[in-house]
Structures are given as C-alpha cells and as structure tokens.
Amino acid sequence: MRRKVIAGNWKMNMLPNEAMTFIEQITPMVKSTQNEVILCVPYTDLFYCLLGVQNTNIKIGAQNMHWEEKGGYTGEVSAQMLKSIGVEYVIIGHSERRQYFAEKDETVNKKIKSALQHELKPIICVGESLEQREQGKQTEIITEQTKLALEGLDSNQVKKCMIAYEPIWAIGTGKTATSEDANEAIKSIRNEIRNLYGDEVANEIIILYGGSVKSENSKELFSTSDIDGGLVGGASLKPEEFAKICLSV
Ligand code: PGA
C-alpha cells in the first residue's frame, strides 16, 4: 500500500508572520495523521517554517530551484542552498512556471537531476491545457511530459520522485477533474512509468492530483485506486481547510 501525501502549494502568498501563525494553528490539527503533510512555501518563508515545524510531522518544500550549483544566475536559488537549510522537497515544473517563466521539459529534467543529486525530493508537475484536453490529447501530453522529466534517471532515482498530475484548466478555477478522469489520467502516468522502469517502481511511486482540491472533494479523489493524495493550492492557505484535506483519508 502506498502512503497518502498531501502537499500544500502556497504559491506567492504568506508573509513570515502569517506563515508562523499558520504552522502554530495547523500543527495540533494534523498531529495524529499517518498521511505525509508537506508545505511548499515561498523562499522568504522557508527558514521560519523549518523552525516552526521542528518536532512536528509537517515537512517543508520549496516551489522551484535552479539546476546549477552556484554562479552568475542573479535571483536564482540552487538545490544545494535549499538542502543546506533543511528543505526536503521541491516542486519542479509547475504549470505556472511553464506558462509564465518559460520552464521547458528540458530544464525540468535538469532541475530534477540536480535536486536528486543534493538529496531533495522533487514533486514533478505535469498536466494538459484545456485546448489539449478538448483535442483528446491529454494522455499523450502527460505521458510525454513524464517521460521527458525522468529522462536519464535510474529506477532508484525515479522512486524518490513524486509526480503531481495537475490539469491546467483545473488550477485555481474551481473546476476539478472528476475523480474518474483524474484517476484515469494518473493510471496512464503510472503505466508510462511501468513501461519505462518496471512494475516495482510503478507500484511504489507516489502520484498526486492537483487542481481545485478542497475538503468537499478530497476524500472522493484520494480514495480512488491510483491517486495517492493531492497538491493543493488555494485551499492550503487556510489551516482548518487544509487540515480537513489532510485528514480526509
Ligand atoms: P489550486 O492550485 O488548488 O488553487 O487549483 C493547485 C496548484 O496549482 O498546485
């Protein structure tokens, strides 16, 4: 049985004082869960959050990183830098980064390799646009994105990654994929991994659903055969709501 993972993606929200209050409030609410709870926070909150979650079951992730270790890349942060302060996870290839910051499959792949080299666990985002879905191309798009993201990795490295299937049309829109559709899409990603890396990796890898997850739909989504939890944006900004999602399965 795969564990369930609920990861919040705060995006560009939350000042350090707000982040600290959030952590104080959510800690007792989720302390009994066996599910893995992760908060992916802005760079400026990382250090505060890492201090705040000491002696709790909450883990901290970043939302992006650069693939080089150091050098002339003004404004960027490397895997080594994240690791040095105790960050465990990093979101890579979120559709907002692909859409607004020219993130490409090739740079997603470089970032994943660098993250793994520095023992950060990547949460790799894939997902189709509305247009691609309307053309019936979603399976082709997401399996291709998965293949390119993982190119050059061995099975042990792939096992350390999580994948988040996030249809772009469902992000921040209030439109959720039905649990059947989301489960089918995630099955197709798992099958692609089976073809590339075999049964063991396919059965072990954690694959999340993201896109307008809230406490009203999380149980149904997370109770399907292949969805191992969620990557939660808007609903991860309120402690009560996020805790309900964490406890829904
Ligand atoms: P949403 O965002 O839950 O607000 O739709 C999800 C995400 O972008 O990771």
Side-chain angles (χ1 to χ4, degrees):
M1 258 297 265
R2 290 182 296 271
R3 68 191 188 284
K4 296 286 183 201
V5 178
I6 295 66
N9 172 14
W10 282 357
K11 308 193 180 187
M12 199 170 73
N13 294 293
M14 299 286 234
L15 299 174
N17 61 325
E18 296 169 319
M20 297 293 274
T21 306
F22 181 101
I23 286 173
E24 268 164 39
Q25 292 178 344
I26 200 164
T27 296
M29 299 182 206
V30 297
K31 76 167 194 282
S32 60
T33 183
Q34 299 301 310
N35 300 331
E36 189 168 357
V37 179
I38 306 169
L39 290 171
C40 296
V41 308
Y43 292 135
T44 44
D45 290 338
L46 281 172
F47 199 68
Y48 296 92
C49 288
L50 285 161
L51 291 178
V53 300
Q54 277 176 354
N55 306 317
T56 77
N57 56 344
I58 303 170
K59 315 237 172 97
I60 297 297
Q63 300 171 7
N64 181 37
M65 52 165 268
H66 196 274
W67 62 86
E68 293 289 350
E69 262 180 25
K70 55 172 112 164
Y73 302 97
T74 302
E76 294 292 330
V77 169
S78 70
Q80 198 178 22
M81 290 170 170
L82 295 173
K83 186 68 190 176
S84 72
I85 60 165
V87 173
E88 270 186 71
Y89 289 92
V90 58
I91 297 176
I92 294 181
H94 191 280
S95 64
E96 286 157 9
R97 297 219 54 91
R98 294 180 192 252
Q99 209 174 338
Y100 307 135
F101 303 99
E103 186 88 85
K104 296 274 172 289
D105 291 319
E106 193 196 341
T107 53
V108 167
N109 178 251
K110 283 189 189 178
K111 289 179 181 190
I112 294 166
K113 286 179 178 156
S114 174
L116 289 168
Q117 200 182 335
H118 293 283
E119 287 167 15
L120 283 176
K121 295 174 219 159
I123 303 173
I124 307 160
C125 300
V126 300
E128 80 285 359
S129 66
L130 184 58
E131 197 188 349
Q132 289 163 336
R133 170 158 283 248
E134 281 168 351
Q135 293 166 353
K137 289 192 183 153
Q138 66 270 24
T139 309
E140 185 190 323
I141 297 289
I142 59 181
T143 52
E144 182 70 4
Q145 283 176 341
T146 304
K147 186 173 119 200
L148 294 173
L150 302 177
E151 205 163 74
L153 301 187
D154 63 32
S155 303
N156 278 331
Q157 290 176 307
V158 175
K159 278 189 203 166
K160 292 180 186 140
C161 299
M162 287 187 204
I163 298 186
Y165 166 62
E166 299 204 306
I168 297 170
W169 49 269
I171 294 179
T173 57
K175 287 186 203 146
T176 324
T178 63
S179 53
E180 292 80 22
D181 281 354
N183 195 43
E184 279 313 303
I186 287 179
K187 264 191 196 164
S188 70
I189 294 170
R190 206 177 290 288
N191 278 335
E192 180 69 11
I193 292 174
R194 199 177 307 281
N195 294 337
L196 295 167
Y197 298 97
D199 279 339
E200 194 189 321
V201 182
N203 294 339
E204 260 183 52
I205 192 164
I206 299 286
I207 312 184
L208 310 176
Y209 167 77
S212 299
V213 173
K214 36 190 184 286
S215 58
E216 292 99 82
N217 58 27
S218 56
K219 186 181 171 70
E220 193 187 327
L221 285 160
F222 303 166
S223 306
T224 52
S225 64
D226 280 67
I227 304 180
D228 301 322
L231 181 58
V232 185
S236 74
L237 296 170
K238 296 191 198 100
E240 294 80 14
E241 172 67 2
F242 188 58
K244 272 193 203 162
I245 298 171
C246 294
L247 300 174
S248 63
V249 276

